[in-house]
Amino acid sequence: MSLKAGIVGLPNVGKSTLFNAITKQNILAANYPFATIDPNVGVVMVKDKRLDQLNEMYHPAKLIPTSYEFTDIAGLVKGASKGEGLGNQFLSHIRETDAIVEVVRCFENGNIIHVEGTIDPIRDIETINLELAIADLESIGNRLEKIGKKARTTKNKNDLLELETLEKAKKALEENQPLRTVAFTEEEEECLKGFQFLTKKPIIYLANIEESELGKEKNEYVKQVEEYARKENAKVVALCCKVEAELCELEEEEQQELLSMYGISESGLDLLIQATYDLLGLATFFTVGKDEVRAWTFRKGMNAKKCAGIIHTDFEKGFIKAEVMSYQDLIEAGSELKVKENGKVRLEGKDYEMQDGDICLFRFNV
């Protein structure tokens, strides 16, 4: 499964600089609003040290890491939900993502214009979050117009459930409560699935700081963002977009040297990916062999049959069994043969709940 995240933020907060860094693409990062006119998509290969170990063990013809897809969405401004600053066009692109990465400026720099004239991360967050909420309210309003009268007249059970769920969502948004923080029942969640509401999507606030602040105590702006995020159980990652842009130009050894110089051990991008995996409840399983060693992303709680379908729909349709060993058992034993001799290769059925680090061979018949 491909993980998709939409990068949003007000103009000149470092959003396009970050996108340039993570995709190594030269997207225009100009010092004025709407420099990024069309949404840009870039794919980042997710680093996983376990994959490197498997590569050394199997020496495959191909090594394929799992990927993370970023969509860079043009700078939003106040009124985006009403079409200001090309807003409507870009709000629609956010609907297609699994998560939102909201870049927030947490540094002072007189040479970089802020669209509001001053630095205030909470104001910026609330500006964007309000636009997302207004867009959701518009969608709800349109649907209520269509279904309201019908549901009350026919008393159809499903229509009434949808009506009540949408009215509950509308009330929450009007009280400034994003839908991701609202407790919905399982039936209500099912009702909301098709709408792809923006405020229902998990969110990570990415605090863009100065390079001089890396490896040091968080500044007041970052602390404000963390306090805000705590209220809605969201995550915060602090990084310097400028340094991330420098890192992408270096070889791995040079990257580590630069990170050490700043007193940090991991790049901001790696921290962002880890935070997204945690937020979305994602994990990784592997398939191995001489032809290919590959990492696959799945949602925690998925069973073996569903995970087989991530590789190919035929694997899921004709699923028989999954031959499973854990990455840790393989590393400790030193070879696949030794794992088998130790009796730690298991045959699992379709209902087996996959675990992070499982190495699988799926048996199927179609």
Side-chain angles (χ1 to χ4, degrees), residues 289-304:
K290 288 295 179 187
D291 292 334
E292 178 184 284
V293 167
R294 183 164 183 168
W296 304 86
T297 301
F298 70 99
R299 291 191 187 276
K300 291 175 183 176
M302 284 179 72
N303 62 32

Side-chain angles (χ1 to χ4, degrees), residues 202-357:
I203 194 165
I204 292 177
Y205 295 107
L206 196 152
N208 185 16
I209 60 175
E210 288 273 39
E211 58 187 307
S212 60
E213 296 176 327
L214 284 171
K216 296 179 182 175
E217 187 183 347
K218 296 162 186 169
N219 68 34
E220 285 306 310
Y221 292 138
V222 176
K223 288 177 183 176
Q224 288 173 27
V225 174
E226 287 181 332
E227 179 61 31
Y228 184 94
R230 251 191 298 276
K231 294 172 186 174
E232 55 178 62
N233 204 26
K235 290 187 174 294
V236 178
V237 174
L239 58 73
C240 175
C241 293
K242 183 182 172 186
V243 170
E244 294 300 314
E246 291 173 20
L247 283 168
C248 78
E249 301 296 334
L250 303 174
E251 296 297 327
E252 192 163 341
E253 194 175 315
E254 294 173 313
Q255 286 181 6
Q256 289 306 315
E257 287 177 12
L258 185 61
L259 291 171
S260 296
M261 192 178 83
Y262 286 114
I264 53 180
S265 58
E266 293 180 277
S267 74
L269 174 58
D270 289 341
L271 293 173
L272 174 59
I273 291 172
Q274 287 168 25
T276 311
Y277 268 59
D278 190 34
L279 183 68
L280 296 177
L282 302 176
T284 305
F285 73 88
F286 303 95
T287 51
V288 297
K290 288 295 179 187
D291 292 334
E292 178 184 284
V293 167
R294 183 164 183 168
W296 304 86
T297 301
F298 70 99
R299 291 191 187 276
K300 291 175 183 176
M302 284 179 72
N303 62 32
K305 187 177 179 181
K306 287 287 182 190
C307 285
I310 292 171
I311 298 175
H312 199 286
T313 52
D314 284 350
F315 284 27
E316 183 175 358
K317 286 176 188 172
F319 182 91
I320 300 172
K321 290 284 183 183
E323 193 174 295
V324 183
M325 61 179 164
S326 78
Y327 168 82
Q328 200 56 45
D329 285 343
L330 177 63
I331 295 304
E332 287 173 5
S335 73
E336 198 172 313
L337 180 62
K338 285 285 186 185
V339 179
K340 288 177 179 175
E341 287 175 355
N342 294 340
K344 291 190 174 180
V345 175
R346 314 181 307 275
L347 273 181
E348 300 286 2
K350 63 181 182 181
D351 295 326
Y352 167 69
E353 189 174 308
M354 292 281 282
Q355 301 298 309
D356 184 55

